[in-house]
Amino acid sequence: LGDFDAPVIKPTLVEMAISDEVPLAFRRQALQNLANFKDPKVLDRIIPLLERAENYYLHDDIEALAVALLPDGVGKERLDRAALKAARRWERKK
């Protein structure tokens, strides 16, 4: 994927980022490109990925997106809450 910032591609990038069917490299590139839109609302669809422990390998990419879109600390706080939910679910599965 290249650098995309055309508004019509944003929904496709979101779907790529959240889909377990898309290869990891493409998911990461989609997350990086989403920062180009400067739309914090995309985090409503992206951050819940971290509520499932199996998606935690995307944490750094999602954190970079959250910080880029919500640099005042709000994004980091939302990430921390999602990570806590994932940890609680993981503990219940033990």
Side-chain angles (χ1 to χ4, degrees), residues 17 27-35 46 58 61-62 65:
R27 292 178 79 187
R28 286 187 164 148
Q29 186 67 45
L31 288 166
Q32 292 168 8
N33 283 326
L34 283 169
I46 300 299
L58 292 170
D61 302 291
I62 295 172
L65 177 62

Side-chain angles (χ1 to χ4, degrees), residues 20-21 29-32 35 41 54 57 59-60 72-73 77-78 81 85 90-91:
D20 293 332
E21 303 299 316
Q29 186 67 45
L31 288 166
Q32 292 168 8
K41 289 185 264 174
E54 60 269 17
Y57 56 84
H59 180 274
D60 291 346
D72 59 359
E77 181 182 328
R78 288 182 64 189
R81 281 187 268 142
K85 284 182 184 179
W90 182 77
E91 285 293 324

Side-chain angles (χ1 to χ4, degrees), residues 11-28 30-31 45-46 49 52 55 57-58:
T12 302
L13 290 174
V14 170
E15 290 304 316
M16 288 177 67
I18 66 174
S19 175
D20 293 332
E21 303 299 316
V22 175
L24 177 61
F26 292 133
R27 292 178 79 187
R28 286 187 164 148
L31 288 166
R45 303 264 327 265
I46 300 299
L49 288 172
R52 296 188 341 233
N55 284 323
Y57 56 84
L58 292 170

